[in-house]
Amino acid sequence: MNRQSGVRAAVVAAALLLGIAGCGGAGAPGEGKADGGARPTPSVSGSPSASAPTTAPAPSGAAGNPPSAEVLPGMVGVAAARQRLAALKVAAPGTMAGYSRDRFTHWAEQGDRCDTRETVLARDGAGVTRDSECRAVSGRWKSLYDGAEIDDAKRLDIDHMVPLAEAWRSGAAGWDAAKRKAFANDLSGPQLLAVSASSNRSKGDQSPDLWQPTDKSSWCVYGRAWTTVKSLYGLTVTEAERTTLTGMLDTCAAS
């Protein structure tokens, strides 16, 4: 009897050891290693873990239709745009020697894990929500250049109204790094806007005499915005550029 009891005890002990090993083994579901092998800290009951994406309403997104391009900050009226255009210095395009997009630091951090791109996406869209890294995960946008209605942020580019290369040719080559960074991330003027990636890449670095939005109803806003930016930063225009901008501003009365 004593011998049988000893055998039973040994069997029970072995079973217990196997059970413990199975619960803590490398293949157990829900386990993993992080930070050099430390186990991840369990999340507080009822709240997401730190790495889980969370969505929250963007500060300026609104339900309904995407805002009109008229909400672009710093936009001047038609009369003021005509005055500013007339005051711009006319000059031939400068050289591209020394140019690089890297000389215009972008996209700058804007706080709360958001950079300039994500800030513009929130401003220009409707019903925009963000994940925990401030990336737009839903929303609706209307592209100024081609009138496209877009519900996927991946199909959007943040366009520089006056392209960086165009700015370089018209005066930015002589700026310091701080001013170029401010220009590339300007949220106070109509320099940045969310548009369809296809229209932005069609535009490239061309001035208005070489490229215009396919949606002609946007020409008034485009002409005002372009003129506003060039005036704010003291950039030059070519004669052909000024002529085209004048024509764009002429569409305002009929728009």
Side-chain angles (χ1 to χ4, degrees):
M1 180 67 68
N2 289 339
R3 182 178 179 184
Q4 289 177 343
S5 298
V7 171
R8 289 195 189 97
V11 170
V12 171
L16 288 172
L17 287 172
L18 287 172
I20 293 170
C23 291
E31 296 291 337
K33 292 184 178 181
D35 300 327
R39 292 181 61 181
T41 303
S43 59
V44 177
S45 177
S47 64
S49 66
S51 61
T54 58
T55 57
S60 58
N65 296 323
S68 163
E70 290 292 334
V71 304
L72 288 175
M75 285 279 284
V76 299
V78 181
R82 292 187 189 280
Q83 293 174 352
R84 294 191 182 202
L85 180 58
L88 290 177
K89 180 181 178 180
V90 176
T95 176
M96 289 295 290
Y99 170 75
S100 168
R101 283 182 63 85
D102 292 339
R103 300 192 70 174
F104 294 80
T105 303
H106 63 287
W107 301 111
E109 291 296 320
Q110 300 294 340
D112 295 328
R113 298 188 178 183
C114 301
D115 62 16
T116 303
R117 170 183 165 81
E118 298 301 339
T119 302
V120 175
L121 284 174
R123 183 198 71 193
D124 290 359
V128 179
T129 59
R130 298 164 164 167
D131 66 13
S132 61
E133 297 299 319
C134 196
R135 295 177 295 238
V137 295
S138 66
R140 295 178 301 283
W141 296 264
K142 184 171 183 180
S143 172
L144 175 69
Y145 297 163
D146 51 10
E149 296 186 3
I150 297 170
D151 60 6
D152 181 358
K154 293 178 182 178
R155 294 173 53 206
L156 294 162
D157 280 353
I158 304 304
D159 181 49
H160 291 96
M161 173 60 66
V162 175
L164 305 182
E166 165 60 23
W168 184 269
R169 292 189 293 264
S170 55
W175 296 349
D176 61 19
K179 187 171 183 178
R180 285 195 289 267
K181 180 179 180 179
F183 179 81
N185 298 276
D186 187 356
L187 295 170
S188 61
Q191 166 65 345
L192 299 171
L193 67 163
V195 297
S196 67
S198 57
S199 66
N200 181 50
R201 293 165 199 185
S202 171
K203 172 184 175 180
D205 66 353
Q206 300 176 90
S207 53
D209 52 305
L210 300 175
W211 185 90
Q212 304 88 38
T214 56
D215 184 355
K216 292 186 178 182
S217 68
S218 71
W219 284 12
C220 173
V221 170
Y222 193 83
R224 288 162 56 203
W226 183 285
T227 301
T228 300
V229 173
K230 283 227 160 175
S231 176
L232 285 172
Y233 285 90
L235 298 171
T236 62
V237 292
T238 65
E239 193 63 59
E241 181 183 350
R242 185 164 69 173
T243 298
T244 301
L245 288 168
T246 299
M248 286 185 160
L249 295 177
D250 288 343
T251 69
C252 293
S255 64

